[in-house]
Amino acid sequence: MMCVCVFVYFGQMARVCWWFYFSKVIELSDTIFFILRKKNSQLTFLHIYHHATMIFNWWAGVKYVAGGQSFLIGLINSLVHIVMYLYYGLAALGPHMNKYLWWKRYLTSLQLLQFFIVTMHTTCNLFADCDFPDSMNAVVLTYSLSLIVLFSNFYYQSYLTKKTKSI
């Protein structure tokens, strides 16, 4: 099995990783605003865990391993966030947009697909001859597995249990 593994300390990919890290700092601000506005219904364990840990994970990624593997994870996550913020932007336009927002379930599926791709790629890199440190691969693998568990639970609670309750 062939795995793509590029490891660059300096250069363009490292800069892109830094900007991605900076975007995670901005995303954490929405959690802070939820707290300040006392919107506790939007503060789930998943939300707080994900946003708080992304700051530390990406700080370490940018400081120690900015480049190939980190770049791929940031690229995939950025694509998912484009779709996610499109959804939230449409939802913010008001209730008349609800008829166009039937695809929220698929957005969660896309997030899960992202974590499965990262998990497979990271697992592959653990067995490949790759300059990306195995210790960081282990951290990424553990983190992506934790997100699979948490997002799967969210999917189950949001889309599967509500359907069986209404039947």
Side-chain angles (χ1 to χ4, degrees), residues 30-48:
D30 78 348
T31 304
I32 294 166
F33 289 126
F34 287 158
I35 292 168
L36 292 174
R37 290 176 29 219
K38 297 183 179 168
K39 295 281 188 178
N40 295 336
S41 64
Q42 295 174 310
L43 292 173
T44 63
F45 175 77
L46 170 60
H47 181 94
I48 294 169

Side-chain angles (χ1 to χ4, degrees), residues 19-151:
W19 281 108
F20 182 78
Y21 164 72
F22 184 71
S23 78
K24 298 297 127 186
V25 173
I26 292 170
E27 285 179 13
L28 181 62
S29 67
D30 78 348
T31 304
I32 294 166
F33 289 126
F34 287 158
I35 292 168
L36 292 174
R37 290 176 29 219
K38 297 183 179 168
K39 295 281 188 178
N40 295 336
S41 64
Q42 295 174 310
L43 292 173
T44 63
F45 175 77
L46 170 60
H47 181 94
I48 294 169
Y49 172 79
H50 180 57
H51 284 246
T53 55
M54 284 296 284
I55 294 294
F56 295 110
N57 290 342
W58 273 95
W59 173 82
V62 168
K63 181 161 177 66
Y64 298 112
V65 290
Q69 170 89 348
S70 299
F71 179 82
L72 177 70
I73 295 167
L75 176 67
I76 294 169
N77 188 256
S78 294
L79 295 173
V80 169
H81 276 76
I82 289 169
V83 176
M84 186 177 74
Y85 286 121
L86 172 65
Y87 177 89
Y88 291 138
L90 290 171
L93 294 176
H96 69 282
M97 294 302 290
N98 286 348
K99 63 185 173 189
Y100 303 110
L101 299 176
W102 52 266
W103 48 278
K104 184 176 183 182
R105 171 186 209 149
Y106 301 103
L107 176 57
T108 306
S109 297
L110 182 63
Q111 290 170 311
L112 279 163
L113 176 63
Q114 161 193 223
F115 303 132
F116 280 111
I117 291 170
V118 169
T119 298
M120 290 186 304
H121 185 261
T122 302
T123 301
C124 181
N125 283 344
L126 280 170
F127 299 102
D129 184 23
C130 178
D131 289 337
F132 197 82
D134 283 344
S135 60
M136 289 301 283
N137 269 319
V139 168
V140 171
L141 180 61
T142 303
Y143 187 61
S144 64
L145 289 172
S146 74
L147 292 176
I148 288 171
V149 168
L150 291 170
F151 274 80

